[in-house]
Structures are given as C-alpha cells and as structure tokens.
DNA sequence: GCAAGGTC
C-alpha cells in the first residue's frame, strides 16, 4: 500500500522525510524543479509498513479569479458582486499540480503535511483535489491530515501516527475570505480607476484592497494629526538640592499646567520655605527584562528601527537565510519555544563566533535560562532562531548579514537572564509641593552584553539622602515648555498598527506596505537620519474622499473595523457557529451597498483629490 | 491592468 504525503513547502518535505525515513530515502526529480519526490517506507499504525512518497507544493496551487469574459471593461464593475467566480490551477503551479496527480495514481491514502493554520488547511484541500484528478478512488475519507507545530523528531513521528481528516469548516473560512477579497478588490479597483481616469497625475490602476486601504488610512490619519498640530505652552516647577557636593535634580510630581499664573502662585508658596524635607528614600532592585522569542513582525519592526531596513527587505533577506539553512522558518507568530526543544545545542553552535562566542560559552557554563514565553502560538512554527553557524564576514549580502546577526543576538539574549540593577527614589517635600528624583545603578548587564541594540546604563546616582532630613533648596524655578507634534509615521509603527488591528498576516504586512507604495499612495521620506512614511496627494485624496461620503450604518472603507469584523466572522465559520454562505452573504451585501454609494458619489472622490493637488 | 493569501 502506498501513502502520498504532501507538504506546504520543499523544506518541510525534506525534514519530515528525514525523520520518518530514519535518513533512508531516495530522491526522485519531479516535473517541478524545486519540489522533489522522496520515496521511503514507514509503519503507519493499523496499516503496517507502507511505501511512502513525500513531495511538496509551494503555497496555494489554485487561483481564484473571474472568468475571462468578465475581465476589465467587459462588464460593469458593480456586477462583480454577483457574477460567478472561477477556481483554476495557477498556471505557474501547473507542474506541481501535475506531479501530485501523477504520484496519486498508485496511492491509497493522501497525507497532508501543510502548516497547521487556516491557509494550510485550504492548501490541503487544493492538494486533495489535485490528487483526485489523478486517482478517483482517493475519496475525502482517504485523506489524512497530520498535526504538527515544529520539526522535533518525536513530535513529527507522533503527528504521522495520529492524523485526523481535513477540517472543511476551516477550508470554508479561507474560501470565504478569498471570494470576498476578490469581489471587493476587483469591483472597487475598476470603479476607482475609471472614476479618476483623466485627472492629473493619476497612475493606473487605482487599486482598492481590504488591507491596502486600512493601511493607507493609518498613514493619512497620522499625517493629518502632525499637520494640524498646534503647540501649546505649559509651565512646571523644578528644584535642585545639594548634598556632599553633589547636586540632585527633583521633578515635580504634579507634572505640568497650561496656566502660568497658577504655577507662579504655587511657586511663591514654596518660596516661603528656604528648606525642603526628604520625605522618603527607597532603594529597590529593578530589572530590565530580556526580550521575548522572535516573531516575524518583531523582526521586521526591529530591523526597521535598528538597521533602517524596510519590512520587505527584511523578509526577503530572512527568506534567503532560511533557504540557505542558516536560520529557522522566518514566518511565524509564535513567541514561545516548545518545551522539548533543545535550545542549548543551538547556543553551542554559536560558541565559535569571535563576537558573541564567549557569551554563548558562558550561557552553557551555567548562564543559560529558559526563554520567556509570550502568549502567541501559531501552532505551525517555533520562534525565529539561528540553525547553523555562519561567520558574518562570509555573508556577502548586507541585509542578510544584518538579519543573521540580529537573529543570533536576539536568540542568545532570550537564553540569557534579565539585566539587574537598583533604583533609588527620593521624595522631597517643599512647602505644599512634592518632588521626586530617581537614580539607577546597573549591577549586572547579562543579556544586554549580547543584545547591544538596547541601552540601559547607570544614570546619575543620588547623594546619600537620609529620610526626614531637612535640606536647603539650592536652586528652583518655574520652567516653561511647549507641547510637541506627534511624530510622523515610521514603518515600525505602521507594522505594529497593522499587526494589532489584524490587517494582513505576518507574511503579507510587508507586501501591503510595498504595494501602497507601488500604487503611489504613500512614499518614504528621509528625515534626520531616519525614514518616515507620508501619504501622497492621491493617498490623502482617496482617504478623504471615502470619509466625505456618507455610508449606510456609518461604515468606513478606510478604517480597520471592517477587516477586523471579517476576521471575527471567519473565526465563527471555523468553529461552525456560522456557515460560509451566511458569512459571505452578510459581507458581500455590506460591501455591495458601499459600492453603490461610492459609485453614486464619484464626484466627491474627484473633488477631494483635486483639493489636495498642488 | 483588479485582492489577499501562500511560497521560491
């Protein structure tokens, strides 16, 4: 009996083959260059020793699109909410598809080894359909779905022995998302492109996407807040005292007031007393926590902050490092390592490095501490970590070198201990007012020795104050300050906002940012050594246009709420609380109404765009 | 020529 196994990507096929075959497998070429077939034997409980072929796809192999007769210009865009949609084999994936059909011919069972997430389940179903094309006798009941979250040996063996069936509710949820994204994206894109055609400086196409627009909305919103900012003056008190020849600056605990006369009145009350009193002095241990294990989104944010790399460039570099075998799979939401994972052996591989080798050695000599555990687990991949050692000098590509160094330092930091120190807080009572001064003394750097991106150093320490002592006020004043504008949007913040609002996934956030750039909705601008993101005239015009139109039920096409609502709905489809058809109808109706309203108000869109044109 | 989601 033969079992055909199919993984979501070649690397998983290879790893799982190694584990299940005990290293004894034979590789065969397939019609698709990157997706080899591996033959071996494995003992499936209840089926005995079976012939196994393990192969792979590269993500989805089908494409959802409108049939050619409903192409651009051939049908009014509004009809795209009801016209039939076609699921075809992606023509770039024809060879992969053919390989599965061929390999299924002499197979009795099909075993799905795609990632255990929503999209993975749907890809599993696409694989099943491809297998059925080659072999009608593989029915849905002949599909085994393995469940694994990482590539540790026993975990994979266990997954091979305890499969379930494909969960069609999860597949339905994905189909629902695909259909909605396509109908909304295609209809609005054609509408916007047609509406704005002929205006000045309009690129083509003017696209709309359920992720593109909320992302653009964040950028425009921030830009407007910066532009409309008006500074305000405020006043506050400050007092310095001196002891043993050392000056300590005390800050007012009441913060600041926008009323100058009020602050002056308070100040005059204080000035009646030449002395203040040290009300309390506390010295307590404090920690600077080591970072959580690394997720994709965090990697992108950090490389943007520390290296000024774009999210896309970071992901591209990480991808190369992954296919080269240097780091683990770079698309993960998981921020806790599986308990069974042997982290020390990974630390061991880094001991030979000239920069952090010594640090890694110290971890193995007793400094190791189990990494912190975050709350996220995508049940597919562990946090990003180094796999093999590589000398930095040997990595030719700048971005890859930076990402590798970051991944290693972050990993070693996770396996180290928190930095330790002491914080001293002194409270000064002067007249009716209370002031505070703090001092920090760092005693152990620990993880900060390797995680050089973060600074935590001793500040000025406080003189040896005694509780209750009376002390002369050496200097004091009413200080004036002014509020500053919010900062312009950075890529780091945009990634964080999208992530927090469920706009896109770890694997696609970078693409969306890239795309709204390619569509000329946003641009990156150098500003004082860093890079900010600002909207273009078209970007502002589109967002302002949409917010000037009154939509039924007050929905917004440029805010994250609709996409968030879709996510909630998809969860309900996954758990069976709602059917795919219900969820789809509800959302399609919602967007269809918004489409009609938009079409009726095209003039508003055009006017808003003109308003922001220079 | 359109989307978002996989991945190379």
């Amino acid at each position: 009996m033969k079992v055909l196994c199919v993984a979501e990507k070649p690397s998983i096929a290879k790893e799982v083959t190694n584990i299940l075959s005990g290293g004894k497998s034979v590789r065969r070429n397939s019609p698709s260059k990157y997706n080899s077939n591996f033959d071996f034997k494995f003992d499936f409980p209840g089926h005995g020793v079976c012939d196994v072929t393990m192969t792979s796809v590269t993500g989805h192999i089908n494409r959802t699109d409108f049939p050619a007769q409903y192409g651009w210009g051939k049908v009014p865009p509004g009809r795209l909410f009801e016209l039939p949609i076609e699921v075809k084999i992606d023509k770039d994936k024809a060879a992969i598809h053919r390989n599965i059909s061929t390999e299924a011919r002499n197979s009795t069972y099909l075993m799905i080894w795609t990632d255990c997430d929503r999209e993975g389940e749907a890809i599993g179903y696409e694989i099943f359909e491809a297998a059925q094309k080659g072999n009608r006798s593989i029915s849905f009941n002949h599909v085994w779905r393995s469940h694994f979250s990482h590539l540790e040996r026993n975990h994979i063996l266990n997954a091979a022995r305890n499969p379930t069936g494909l969960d069609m509710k999860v597949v339905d949820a994905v189909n629902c998302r695909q259909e909605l994204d396509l109908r909304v994206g295609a209809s609005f894109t054609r509408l916007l492109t047609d509406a704005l055609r002929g205006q000045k400086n309009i690129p083509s196409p003017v696209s709309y996407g359920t992720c593109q627009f909320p992302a653009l909305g964040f950028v425009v919103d921030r830009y407007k807040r910066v532009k409309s900012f008006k500074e305000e003056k405020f006043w506050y008190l400050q007092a310095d005292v001196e002891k043993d020849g050392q000056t300590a600056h005390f800050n007012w605990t009441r913060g600041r007031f926008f009323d100058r006369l009020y602050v002056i009145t308070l100040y005059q009350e204080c000035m009646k007393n030449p002395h203040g009193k040290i009300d309390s002095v506390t010295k307590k241990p404090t920690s600077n926590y080591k970072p959580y294990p690394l997720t994709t989104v965090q990697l992108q944010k950090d490389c943007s902050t520390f290296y000024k790399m774009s999210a896309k460039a970071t992901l591209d570099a990480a991808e190369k490092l992954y296919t080269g075998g240097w780091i683990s799979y770079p698309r993960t939401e998981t921020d806790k390592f599986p308990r069974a994972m042997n982290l020390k052996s990974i630390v061991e591989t880094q001991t030979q490095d000239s920069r952090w080798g010594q640090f890694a050695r110290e971890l193995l000599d007793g400094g190791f501490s189990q990494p912190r555990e975050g709350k996220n687990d995508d049940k597919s991949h562990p946090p990003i970590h180094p796999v093999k050692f590589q000398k930095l000098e040997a990595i030719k590509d700048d971005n890859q070198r930076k990402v590798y160094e970051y991944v290693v330092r972050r990993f070693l930091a996770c396996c180290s201990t928190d930095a330790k120190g002491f914080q001293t807080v002194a409270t000064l009572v002067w007249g009716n007012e209370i002031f505070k001064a703090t001092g920090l003394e760092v005693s152990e750097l620990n993880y900060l020795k390797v995680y050089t991106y973060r600074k935590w150093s001793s500040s000025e320490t406080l003189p040896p104050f005694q509780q209750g002592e009376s002390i002369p006020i050496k200097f004091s004043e009413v200080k004036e300050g002014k509020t500053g504008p919010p900062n312009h949007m950075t890529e780091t913040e945009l990634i964080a906002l999208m992530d927090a609002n469920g706009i896109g996934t770890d694997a696609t956030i970078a693409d969306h940012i890239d795309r709204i750039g390619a569509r000329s909705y946003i641009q990156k601008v150098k500003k004082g050594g860093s890079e900010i993101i600002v909207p273009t005239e078209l970007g502002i015009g589109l967002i302002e246009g949409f917010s000037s139109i009154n939509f039924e039920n007050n929905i917004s096409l440029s805010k994250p709420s609709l996409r968030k609502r879709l996510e909630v709905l998809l969860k309900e489809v996954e758990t069976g609380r709602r059917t795919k058809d219900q969820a789809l109808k509800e959302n399609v109706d919602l967007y269809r109404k918004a489409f009609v309203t938009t079409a009726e108000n095209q003039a508003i869109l055009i006017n808003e765009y003109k308003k922001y044109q220079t």
Side-chain angles (χ1 to χ4, degrees):
Chain A
M1 196 179 80
K2 189 178 141 178
V3 177
L4 174 62
C5 295
V6 187
E8 186 163 324
K9 42 194 162 270
S11 61
I12 298 284
K14 206 171 150 196
E15 283 299 320
V16 173
T17 294
N18 276 338
I19 293 165
L20 299 188
S21 70
K24 283 177 283 189
S25 67
V26 178
R27 198 192 74 85
R28 272 185 295 122
N29 280 336
S30 94
S32 169
K33 193 178 158 198
Y34 296 107
N35 307 86
S36 298
N37 297 324
F38 300 94
D39 297 327
F40 56 93
K41 294 195 190 303
F42 186 76
D43 189 346
F44 286 100
H47 299 275
V49 176
C50 301
D51 288 320
V52 180
T53 292
M54 166 71 76
T55 187
S56 58
V57 292
T58 44
H60 286 282
I61 53 175
N62 288 348
R63 253 186 79 81
T64 305
D65 210 345
F66 288 103
Q69 70 261 36
Y70 305 136
W72 200 288
K74 293 180 179 159
V75 48
R79 291 204 58 211
L80 298 178
F81 285 97
E82 74 231 7
L83 288 171
I85 278 173
E86 188 172 69
V87 179
K88 298 181 288 201
I89 300 166
D90 187 331
K91 66 176 188 312
D92 298 335
K93 306 290 177 70
I96 295 175
H97 197 275
R98 194 164 67 245
N99 182 45
I100 291 170
S101 301
T102 310
E103 293 298 322
R105 259 176 226 156
N106 52 359
S107 301
T108 310
Y109 289 97
L110 171 67
M111 190 168 207
I112 302 296
W113 285 88
T114 51
D115 295 351
C116 293
D117 52 24
R118 202 162 72 194
E119 297 296 328
E121 207 72 14
I123 293 168
Y125 193 76
E126 292 172 22
I127 293 167
F128 163 57
E129 290 178 316
Q132 253 207 336
K133 273 221 176 84
N135 182 350
R136 283 286 145 201
S137 69
I138 298 182
S139 72
F140 190 73
N141 297 332
H142 290 75
V143 182
W144 298 342
R145 191 340 173 199
S146 68
H147 294 270
F148 63 107
S149 59
H150 53 92
L151 296 169
E152 194 270 321
R153 193 183 125 82
N154 284 318
H155 182 71
I156 291 297
L157 288 171
N158 200 42
R161 289 167 186 149
N162 297 286
T164 63
L166 276 174
D167 187 342
M168 285 311 289
K169 296 196 295 295
V170 179
V171 177
D172 280 347
V174 172
N175 293 337
C176 183
R177 178 197 61 70
Q178 288 174 326
E179 182 171 336
L180 190 78
D181 282 337
L182 175 64
R183 290 193 187 282
V184 174
S187 59
F188 274 93
T189 298
R190 293 182 195 181
L191 174 71
L192 290 178
T193 306
D194 290 344
L196 290 165
R197 195 194 313 276
Q199 301 299 320
K200 244 194 286 174
N201 296 328
I202 292 290
S204 183
V206 180
S207 66
Y208 180 92
T210 52
C211 289
Q212 290 177 32
F213 262 60
L216 173 60
F218 289 132
V219 176
V220 172
D221 186 54
R222 175 66 64 86
Y223 182 76
K224 281 172 60 186
R225 274 164 49 205
V226 174
K227 287 293 162 196
S228 64
F229 172 79
K230 290 208 172 41
E231 67 176 35
E232 266 185 289
K233 283 185 177 172
F234 58 79
W235 292 268
Y236 60 100
L237 299 182
Q238 200 176 336
D240 293 353
V241 303
E242 196 183 67
K243 186 173 184 185
D244 298 355
Q246 200 184 339
T247 305
H249 302 284
F250 278 82
N251 297 317
W252 198 22
T253 52
R254 294 225 268 176
R256 62 195 196 187
F257 287 92
F258 294 97
D259 181 346
R260 178 164 169 268
L261 279 180
Y262 178 62
V263 176
I264 287 177
T265 313
L266 296 176
Y267 184 57
Q268 283 166 343
E269 274 305 304
C270 289
M271 288 292 279
K272 292 177 182 166
N273 313 278
H275 285 72
K277 191 181 102 183
I278 297 295
D279 196 49
S280 67
V281 186
T282 57
K283 180 172 179 177
K284 52 182 179 189
T286 183
S287 299
N288 181 301
Y289 298 124
K290 62 183 182 179
Y292 281 108
L294 188 59
T295 62
T296 308
V297 165
Q298 197 59 49
L299 174 72
Q300 291 175 315
K301 289 200 283 190
D302 291 345
C303 285
S304 175
T305 306
F306 303 140
Y307 297 131
K308 316 284 177 233
M309 285 173 63
S310 79
K312 184 115 173 70
T314 302
L315 202 55
D316 286 350
E319 180 71 41
K320 294 263 166 46
L321 290 168
Y322 162 66
T323 46
W326 310 115
I327 67 170
S328 66
Y329 189 66
R331 281 183 283 272
T332 176
E333 294 170 39
T334 310
D335 52 11
K336 57 180 165 205
F337 283 104
R339 288 289 165 85
M341 205 167 145
N342 188 349
L343 301 175
K344 281 188 183 171
S345 68
I346 302 173
V347 174
E348 172 79 49
T349 61
Q350 296 293 334
T351 53
Q352 51 191 305
D353 189 83
S354 60
R355 296 169 178 82
W356 53 74
Q358 181 59 29
F359 186 87
R361 172 55 53 201
E362 285 166 17
L363 289 185
L364 296 174
D365 291 344
F368 180 88
S369 157
Q370 190 64 24
R372 298 170 69 191
E373 293 194 350
K375 291 194 186 66
N376 306 295
D377 189 348
D378 64 17
K379 305 262 189 280
S380 307
H381 309 283
I384 304 169
H385 59 274
V387 173
K388 270 193 291 188
F389 174 72
Q390 173 72 300
K391 270 205 179 87
L392 285 187
E393 294 73 19
I395 306 177
K396 292 283 170 277
D397 181 85
D398 282 352
N399 286 345
Q400 288 177 38
R401 191 165 55 243
K402 288 171 184 165
V403 171
Y404 183 76
E405 175 167 3
Y406 184 72
V407 168
V408 174
R409 287 186 183 274
R410 173 84 175 212
F411 175 76
L412 294 175
C414 285
C415 295
S416 178
T417 43
D418 298 338
K420 299 270 192 284
F422 294 94
Q423 190 183 42
T424 316
V425 180
T427 314
L428 171 76
V429 176
W430 182 31
N432 298 320
E433 302 305 319
I434 302 168
F435 298 79
K436 270 197 168 120
T438 57
L440 175 70
E441 200 183 319
V442 175
S443 54
E444 295 171 44
L445 280 172
N446 297 333
Y447 88 89
L448 289 170
K449 280 187 281 187
V450 73
Y451 199 68
T452 46
Y453 313 95
R454 195 179 278 174
K455 296 286 171 256
W456 197 56
S457 52
S458 297
S459 60
E460 213 174 326
T461 49
L462 298 181
F465 291 122
Q466 300 296 319
Q467 186 173 353
E469 77 177 300
S470 174
I471 200 155
I473 305 297
K474 186 190 164 206
F475 176 79
S476 63
E477 64 177 331
V478 173
K479 288 194 112 174
E480 184 181 291
K482 58 186 179 196
T483 56
N487 290 324
H488 274 290
M489 184 69 87
T490 61
E491 184 156 22
T492 309
E493 283 179 283
L494 184 55
I495 293 167
L497 275 169
M498 291 174 71
D499 186 43
N501 285 280
I503 304 302
T505 69
D506 53 351
T508 61
I509 283 177
D511 289 336
H512 296 310
I513 298 176
D514 220 43
R515 177 157 298 128
I516 57 177
R519 295 280 186 256
S520 304
Y521 297 165
I522 63 168
Q523 62 193 84
K524 294 180 177 176
V525 179
K526 286 251 182 296
K527 197 187 177 211
S530 61
E531 208 175 49
I532 59 165
I533 297 180
V534 296
T536 60
E537 291 157 7
L538 175 59
I540 303 177
L542 286 169
I543 295 296
E544 291 297 297
F546 273 115
S547 40
S548 303
I549 298 173
N550 286 320
F551 289 105
E552 207 174 309
N553 301 323
N554 273 327
I555 62 160
S556 166
L557 292 181
S558 49
K559 291 206 163 59
S561 47
L562 278 185
R563 182 79 206 186
K564 227 175 187 172
R565 185 170 152 168
L566 174 64
E567 284 298 323
V568 173
L569 220 54
L570 293 182
K571 273 275 176 307
E572 292 184 353
V573 174
E574 281 183 48
T575 56
R577 274 197 56 198
R578 208 181 275 260
T579 66
K580 172 192 163 187
D581 289 343
Q582 285 171 335
L584 204 50
K585 186 175 176 338
E586 198 172 302
N587 259 279
V588 168
D589 281 350
L590 192 78
Y591 276 103
R592 191 209 318 261
K593 281 181 188 155
F595 180 90
V596 172
T597 311
T598 308
E600 287 168 356
N601 291 285
Q602 290 181 41
I604 295 183
L605 283 178
I606 294 167
N607 279 337
E608 286 296 322
Y609 173 63
K610 281 184 174 162
K611 240 193 239 178
Y612 291 93
Q613 258 209 325
T614 44

